Amino acid sequence: MKPKRLKEEHIDMQFLALLIAIIVFLVFALFIGDIVWIKDFQYFITLISGITAIFIGVLALLRYYTKKTNMNFLFLGGGFLGVGLIEILQTMVEVGDFQNLFSVSDSGSYPLTSVLGKAFLALLFLISWFVIRKRKGRGRKKELKLMGIVCLTFILFVATFIILLLRGVEVDSFIVVLIGLFSLLFYILSLLGYLFNKGWLYDDFNYWIIFTLSFLILSQIFYLPFLNLEYIHMVNLSTWAHFIAYVGMLVGFLNSIYMMYQKEKEIQQELEEKNILLDKTKAKVEEAYLALREEKWELVNKKGGLGSILKKISKK
C-alpha cells in the first residue's frame, strides 16, 4: 500500500523551521567571541552528546528489532551507539578527573580520536542511505550526476589542500583534517541522498534525518581549520552543532515511536469498530431469523395447526 503523503503546509513548516534553526546558529557563531563562559562547557556538552548518542542508538536498535523491516534503523543504531561510546571515552581521557569537566585548555591541536567517531557516523549515514534508496530511471540518473559533481569538487579541494601542504603551508594534524574532509563529504552525500529519496514527503522521520545531517555538516565545517576563527571557538561551535544534531535525531526517533504507537492504536480502534459492527450484523441476522421463524409458525397456525397439516399429508 502506498504511504500517505504529508500535507504541503506541514512540509513547508518543517523546512522553514530548519532554515530558521541554521540562521540562528550562524548568528550565534558570529557572537561566540563575546560569550566568555561558553568555552567552559565544551567537555560537558561533549559528554551529554555521547550519552544522547547512546540513547539514540538503543532506540534505533529497539525499533529495528521490533519489526525487522527497515535496515536503516540497524545502521543508524550501530552508528550512534558507536559514536556515543567513542565520545564518552574521549571526554573521560581528556578530562581525567570530573573536577576538570568545566575547565578547558586551549591546546590548539586536533587529536585523531576526535574524528574517528565523526567518520564512523558519517560512513554509516551514507550506508543507511544506500540501504533505503529506491529511485530509478531519470530521477536516479539526476541524483547520481549531482553526487558525481559533488565528489569531483571535493577531490579538487583535497588535491589543492595537499598541494599547499607539500609547498610548505603548515596545517596541524594533517591526517585528522583529511579524515574530517572525507567525513564532510560523506555527510553531504548522505544529505543529498535523503533529499532525492523524498521520504520526507511521507514520513517525519526522514525530515529529522535531514535536520540532523544539516547540523552535522555545520559541525564538520566548523571543526576543520579553514575558517578565520580561533581554535577554541571553532571547537565550541562544532561541539554545539553536533549536540543540536543529536537532539534533532532524538526528537525524530521519539516522534517515530509515538507515530508508530498512534498507528497501532488506530489499527486497534478500527478492529474494535469492525468487531462491534460484526456483532451488530450478527444480532440483526439472528433477529431476522427469529422473525422469519415466527412468521412460519403463524402461517402454520392459520392453516389449522401442525396436526391438521400432518393429516392432510397422510391422506395423500
Side-chain angles (χ1 to χ4, degrees):
M1 185 176 66
K2 189 177 181 180
K4 185 179 179 181
R5 187 186 175 105
L6 297 173
K7 294 181 179 179
E8 293 293 336
E9 295 81 4
H10 179 74
I11 296 172
D12 293 340
M13 288 301 296
Q14 283 183 325
F15 282 92
L16 179 62
L18 174 58
L19 179 61
I20 292 173
I22 292 174
I23 292 174
V24 170
F25 184 82
L26 293 177
V27 172
F28 167 72
L30 289 175
F31 296 99
I32 192 171
D34 300 328
I35 309 174
V36 180
W37 53 267
I38 198 169
K39 66 178 183 179
D40 296 328
F41 284 84
Q42 179 187 326
Y43 289 145
F44 177 72
I45 294 299
T46 303
L47 182 63
I48 296 300
S49 297
I51 295 171
T52 306
I54 290 177
F55 187 51
I56 293 170
V58 172
L59 284 178
L61 292 176
L62 287 175
R63 178 71 192 274
Y64 169 72
Y65 284 107
T66 300
K67 291 186 176 181
K68 294 186 178 181
T69 55
N70 197 338
M71 289 289 290
N72 189 28
F73 293 121
L74 178 63
F75 287 104
L76 290 177
F80 276 99
L81 196 61
V83 76
L85 291 173
I86 292 173
E87 288 182 354
I88 290 174
L89 289 174
Q90 177 193 338
T91 304
M92 292 176 64
V93 169
E94 291 184 2
V95 171
D97 189 353
F98 277 102
Q99 293 179 353
N100 301 322
L101 189 61
F102 293 96
S103 59
V104 181
S105 59
D106 187 3
S107 61
S109 62
Y110 293 85
L112 182 60
T113 55
S114 64
V115 292
L116 290 178
K118 299 174 186 291
F120 178 66
L121 184 60
L123 179 61
L124 286 185
F125 257 112
L126 188 61
I127 293 174
S128 73
W129 167 72
F130 271 110
V131 169
I132 67 166
R133 64 193 178 100
K134 297 178 181 178
R135 294 179 59 82
K136 297 180 181 179
R138 295 177 62 184
R140 176 82 180 124
K141 291 179 180 179
K142 183 179 178 182
E143 175 184 348
L144 292 176
K145 183 179 179 180
L146 181 58
M147 288 190 169
I149 293 173
V150 172
C151 289
L152 288 174
T153 306
F154 173 79
I155 291 170
L156 290 174
F157 178 74
V158 172
T160 304
F161 168 70
I162 294 174
I163 290 170
L164 291 174
L165 185 70
L166 293 175
R167 288 186 176 182
V169 179
E170 294 186 2
V171 178
D172 294 335
S173 306
F174 170 70
I175 300 298
V176 172
V177 174
L178 197 59
I179 295 174
L181 284 171
F182 277 102
S183 300
L184 178 61
L185 174 65
F186 291 160
Y187 282 137
I188 293 173
L189 292 178
S190 300
L191 178 62
L192 291 174
Y194 276 101
L195 284 171
F196 275 108
N197 190 60
K198 293 188 177 181
W200 44 271
L201 289 173
Y202 307 97
D203 186 11
D204 288 330
F205 180 72
N206 284 275
Y207 161 76
W208 286 108
I209 290 179
I210 293 171
F211 180 96
T212 301
L213 285 169
S214 300
F215 274 92
L216 287 175
I217 290 171
L218 280 177
S219 173
Q220 203 65 21
I221 290 173
F222 281 112
Y223 187 79
L224 295 172
F226 300 123
L227 300 176
N228 189 22
L229 290 172
E230 294 182 21
Y231 168 82
I232 190 66
H233 295 327
M234 290 171 60
V235 174
N236 272 324
L237 288 170
S238 176
T239 301
W240 280 95
H242 223 70
F243 176 65
I244 294 171
Y246 288 177
V247 171
M249 194 76 264
L250 178 61
V251 172
F253 270 108
L254 292 176
N255 181 68
S256 174
I257 292 172
Y258 173 75
M259 294 303 294
M260 185 175 66
Y261 169 74
Q262 288 294 111
K263 188 175 181 180
E264 292 293 332
K265 189 176 178 181
E266 289 176 2
I267 291 173
Q268 291 295 328
Q269 188 174 357
E270 288 179 3
L271 288 175
E272 290 178 1
E273 291 176 356
K274 288 180 179 179
N275 288 332
I276 292 172
L277 183 61
L278 185 62
D279 291 337
K280 289 181 178 179
T281 304
K282 184 179 177 182
K284 289 181 178 179
V285 170
E286 291 178 351
E287 184 180 348
Y289 171 74
L290 292 174
L292 181 61
R293 190 173 67 174
E294 186 176 349
E295 288 178 1
K296 287 182 178 180
W297 280 110
E298 288 178 358
L299 183 61
V300 169
N301 292 330
K302 286 180 181 179
K303 291 183 178 182
L306 183 60
S308 61
I309 293 174
L310 291 175
K311 287 180 180 178
K312 292 177 181 179
I313 294 173
S314 61
K315 288 179 181 180
K316 292 180 180 180

